[in-house]
Amino acid sequence: MSQRGRRCATFPTVAGVIVTFASFVPSAGAPARPVGDVWLRAETANFTLLGDVPEARLRRIADLLETYRNALESLHPGSRPSPRETAVYVFSDATTGWRYTPAPGGGGHPLGVNPLYDAPNFVTVAAPLDDPPLEVLYHACVHQFLDDNFPRLPLTVTEGLAEFYSRFTAVPEGTLIGIANQDHLRWLREHPLPSLADQFALAPQSRHIAEGPGQTTFMAASWALMHYLVSGSGERRAGVPKFLETLQRGVSPPDATQMAFGIPIARLQQEVADYVAGSRHLPIRIRPGGGKAGEVPPSPAPMPFPVRRMERDEVQAALGALIAHGNARRAPDAEAHLQSALNLNPSQARAYAGLGHLRYAQDRPAEAIPLLEKAIAIEPDAMSCYLLAKLLYRTNAPAPPSMPATDPTPSRTPQTTGTGPAGTTPVAATTPPWLNRVRELLDRAITLRPRFAASYVLLGATHIEPDGDVSAGIDLLQKAHTMLPARTDILTNLVYLLLRNGDLIRAQAVVDGALAMSGDLAALE
């Protein structure tokens, strides 16, 4: 199916950025079918899938997503698992799914998709066929994977890898990734190839690539650069990990090219142009079993996962949560679904959690807190525990000097009640009940979902308070930094606790290393 038949966009919300997809776009005025009577839920290692499609189709999509994630990890050994939750809603009919999908903003391609770390990803997919096209979904999965592992790469590298990796298929002989994009090749052969210097200089906000031919050229050229380096450059391919690592450290693209491949950037430019003009643009094969020396490591098979039928109240709660996270202007629709779930089942925990999030998004904490408390009392989940802890902390802790609206857990200036000798921990203060409750909730969230990074970030931040356990806070923030290497608020809090612990050497190492590499001058200062 051509790209004209698909739509993809990003939508800013209070909670973060939601990536929304529809494999098929309904025609204008098409009648919407009612939501299917039978909904299934599948839990895999990296995804939660909910849908009104046959079980075999839901399992097929889940297997493809896990196979794809495994392929990315094989191509990048040592990569991190995602610290975010991702829910994929699979609709059997496009017009039905479109009712729950926010309207695309601007209609353009999603450049630089980087959702906030404590906001779940919500995805909608129309799958009226057993094997629907999922390239747009794969593209966004790459963005999340890169943001989790290489958060400071230039836009042309992240978009190029997303375009390269999204052309994927699973066959009995293994996984093929990087199948040639004939649309990109055709466009580049009919239009001038931009200079690599120009490509590397462009950011998501650049007017030149906002939409139209400029964006098409940028996406095609980015694909060509990374397809050549990863698949078509022969011996140069061995330098790709070093190329990514040096760019991640903030090294300039010309210097990174010289360091990784031993050639000037002008030479790389010519090689990419020759590659586009050539006839061989082969994918990479990742074998399901062992391979020969020098090949891409084998990709493990997806682990078995359960699929169960959802009750009607659970479906209504899940759809209400999808609407609530998608568009603040549709709050009444979200609330209608969540109230319907409670009418069907007054003990539906996910409905209370959805209403709690809705009140949180509306900046009504006094109403959000009891709703989240009720959800946790019925059936605790990591996100509700975290969100309740975040609200309690925000409404009770002394406010820091500045709190950017986009920063879920800003660095804090602690209020101490006493001081010890220079370089030692301040005199311990009595722990207020609300802070005990915050820590209990975050401990519970970590137990329920150990890979959810936001809980470690906030729990570590609580130990900056006068009563905090400095060693525990340092350990939590180090774990959080491993999971979220781009978050400078984690590093600034970590530096403070190291200094409070009298560990000047380690604090200086964090400043000179991770913080200096971050490019965040305000945090470094």
Side-chain angles (χ1 to χ4, degrees):
M1 185 173 181
S2 71
Q3 289 293 334
R4 294 179 182 178
R6 303 192 187 101
R7 298 179 76 171
C8 177
T10 60
F11 306 94
T13 68
V14 175
V17 176
I18 297 174
V19 184
T20 305
F21 314 89
S23 295
F24 300 90
V25 179
S27 58
R33 290 173 49 191
V35 173
D37 291 333
V38 178
W39 273 68
L40 303 175
R41 181 186 181 98
E43 297 275 357
T44 74
N46 294 286
F47 305 94
T48 298
L49 292 94
L50 311 89
D52 63 343
V53 296
E55 180 176 342
R57 191 176 305 168
L58 193 70
R59 285 189 177 277
R60 168 66 175 165
I61 294 172
D63 279 332
L64 284 171
L65 288 174
E66 285 295 338
T67 299
Y68 185 66
R69 175 78 196 197
N70 290 340
L72 293 179
E73 292 176 355
S74 296
L75 290 166
H76 297 275
S79 55
R80 304 176 184 88
S82 179
R84 303 181 180 95
E85 297 183 12
T86 299
V88 182
Y89 288 70
V90 184
F91 292 92
S92 61
D93 177 76
T95 55
T96 302
W98 204 246
R99 293 161 51 200
Y100 297 95
T101 301
H109 200 285
L111 300 176
V113 179
N114 294 306
L116 292 179
Y117 72 89
D118 69 343
N121 296 323
F122 282 76
V123 177
T124 60
V125 178
L129 306 174
D130 284 338
D131 194 14
L134 299 175
E135 286 88 350
V136 178
L137 177 54
Y138 298 146
H139 182 107
C141 286
V142 178
H143 274 293
Q144 178 170 302
F145 179 84
L146 293 174
D147 188 47
D148 294 338
N149 291 279
F150 304 99
R152 297 188 62 231
L153 291 178
L155 182 65
T156 191
V157 175
T158 59
E159 289 298 339
L161 286 173
E163 287 291 283
F164 174 79
Y165 288 151
S166 63
R167 307 285 290 192
F168 154 87
T169 189
V171 295
E173 296 78 17
T175 298
L176 298 179
I177 198 163
I179 298 168
N181 189 314
Q182 297 302 324
D183 290 339
H184 286 337
L185 283 170
R186 190 177 305 111
W187 181 270
L188 292 176
R189 288 167 179 168
E190 296 173 355
H191 298 82
L193 192 68
S195 72
L196 285 180
D198 289 342
Q199 281 182 242
F200 279 109
L202 290 171
Q205 299 79 18
S206 300
R207 293 181 60 186
H208 177 69
I209 56 173
E211 57 186 350
Q215 185 180 107
T216 303
T217 298
F218 175 77
M219 297 299 295
S222 298
W223 168 85
L225 169 65
M226 298 315 300
H227 200 291
Y228 171 68
L229 289 177
V230 176
S231 181
S233 60
E235 294 181 356
R236 298 212 196 288
R237 176 179 164 187
V240 171
K242 185 174 183 179
F243 184 59
L244 299 181
E245 186 267 333
T246 52
L247 289 172
Q248 174 72 13
R249 287 194 288 111
V251 175
S252 69
D255 289 345
T257 301
Q258 188 70 49
M259 293 167 64
F261 307 116
I263 58 173
I265 197 168
R267 172 70 180 276
L268 179 59
Q269 168 89 33
Q270 186 57 53
E271 291 182 3
V272 173
D274 293 341
Y275 185 63
V276 169
S279 59
R280 288 175 60 82
H281 309 93
L282 301 178
I284 291 175
R285 173 178 292 176
I286 304 174
R287 300 181 184 278
K292 299 178 182 178
E295 291 183 343
V296 175
S299 177
M303 296 293 292
F305 54 87
V307 176
R308 64 171 178 83
R309 181 166 176 166
M310 300 172 66
E311 299 297 331
R312 286 181 60 202
D313 58 290
E314 187 183 5
V315 174
Q316 289 297 309
L319 292 172
L322 173 61
I323 300 171
H325 283 80
N327 191 330
R329 291 175 296 181
R330 294 191 62 195
D333 291 341
E335 188 153 353
H337 279 78
L338 296 168
Q339 289 293 348
S340 174
L342 290 175
N343 291 339
L344 291 166
N345 177 9
S347 297
Q348 175 47 254
R350 300 284 65 77
Y352 286 113
L355 288 169
H357 174 271
L358 199 59
R359 298 294 177 259
Y360 161 76
Q362 295 167 336
D363 197 22
R364 295 156 65 179
E367 297 173 52
I369 288 172
L371 289 165
L372 292 167
E373 290 277 19
K374 193 154 189 174
I376 292 168
I378 298 170
E379 183 183 352
D381 69 285
M383 181 57 71
S384 295
C385 290
Y386 165 77
L387 195 58
L388 177 57
K390 181 177 174 180
L391 284 169
L392 292 174
Y393 192 56
R394 177 178 291 177
T395 55
N396 288 280
S402 62
M403 185 180 290
T406 57
D407 195 343
T409 311
S411 302
R412 301 187 60 82
T413 300
Q415 308 295 316
T416 59
T417 58
T419 58
T424 63
T425 303
V427 175
T430 302
T431 303
W434 66 263
L435 188 51
N436 264 331
R437 176 65 170 151
V438 166
R439 291 178 180 147
E440 289 170 358
L441 286 164
L442 294 170
D443 279 331
R444 195 171 195 181
I446 290 171
T447 300
L448 289 167
R449 192 172 283 269
R451 283 169 46 177
F452 182 43
S455 301
Y456 297 87
V457 178
L458 184 54
L459 185 55
T462 69
H463 290 291
I464 288 178
E465 301 301 330
D467 74 318
D469 183 332
V470 173
S471 295
I474 290 171
D475 181 60
L476 286 160
L477 292 174
Q478 286 175 330
K479 289 178 181 177
H481 174 58
T482 299
M483 301 167 81
L484 297 165
R487 299 273 332 166
T488 54
D489 62 309
I490 297 172
L491 296 173
T492 51
N493 284 338
L494 178 59
V495 168
Y496 171 80
L497 287 180
L498 288 169
L499 290 173
R500 187 163 142 182
N501 207 35
D503 197 339
L504 178 61
I505 294 176
R506 288 173 67 193
Q508 190 68 55
V510 173
V511 173
D512 294 341
L515 257 179
M517 287 169 48
S518 71
D520 187 337
L521 297 180
L524 186 60
E525 188 175 326

